[in-house]
Amino acid sequence: GRHMKTKMKMIALAMAASALLLPATSIANTAQFTVDRERLERGEAISFPESVDIDGKHYVGGVAYAIIDASPAELLGVLEDAHAWEAVLPKTKYATRVSSGPNDERVELHQGNALVDATYTLHLVNDRAAQTIRFWVDLNRPHNIEDAWGFFRYQVVSAPGAPPRILLSYGALVDVGPGMLRSVYENRVGLAMMTVPQRLRAYVLRSSKRVPV
């Protein structure tokens, strides 16, 4: 419906924005690009928090980037491992794969702290040709948040013959819902979401036993 089309349009815009951080051979070599690229090369993640209203819902999140010393296969191996989500997503107590198919799976997540718990299921679709994994909350399953959706996009940035490196672009928006959860935790949730690329980078490095740069 119109709501899903709006979501897909926002995802497409965020993915297009990731072109600003592609290698210098493909874009104008501006001063800002140079600064951002140097930060990425040092192992920093770059994030751009955002909030937006869509169809009466209020979303927080944004886009973030990191360079990861890994091949696409290594990255996908992590993202296809349900238990890895326990380390990659902040405040995740446990994750369980509830269905799986070719390039398509659902992972049930349990997140929270001593005061608040949330359970929901992410539907993930791997578009290998586009080097993108898109995800959204399966609203047909129990969910304690109103909505969430986003993407992981990866591109090889290492030179031929060099150790593998990829640029990870990540975007996500979540509507935590009304009440105390929104008033108390919404901003914290939005900022925590922007740490995902850095957490994913650290997890991949640990898994591959590579030394961080």
Side-chain angles (χ1 to χ4, degrees), residues 82 85 95-98 105-109 120-124:
W85 291 79
T96 307
R97 179 181 287 108
V98 295
E105 66 177 343
R106 287 174 172 80
V107 176
E108 185 176 272
L109 299 166
Y120 58 94
T121 299
L122 281 186
H123 185 182
L124 300 104

Side-chain angles (χ1 to χ4, degrees), residues 39-46 65-70 75 78-79 87-88 152 165-166 168 195-213:
R39 291 177 58 195
L40 289 169
E41 292 284 1
R42 290 198 300 267
E44 296 182 38
I46 298 175
Y65 309 87
I67 288 180
I68 301 176
D69 295 312
L75 175 69
V78 170
L79 293 177
V88 170
F152 294 93
R165 303 189 86 193
I166 55 176
L168 176 73
T195 68
V196 168
Q198 190 77 329
R199 296 169 67 95
L200 181 56
R201 178 180 184 274
Y203 186 89
V204 170
L205 288 171
R206 289 197 304 271
S207 300
S208 63
K209 296 182 172 58
R210 289 196 176 96
V211 178
V213 296

Side-chain angles (χ1 to χ4, degrees), residues 11-20 65 151 153:
I11 290 175
L13 289 172
M15 290 174 60
S18 71
L20 294 174
Y65 309 87
F151 68 91
R153 184 171 184 256

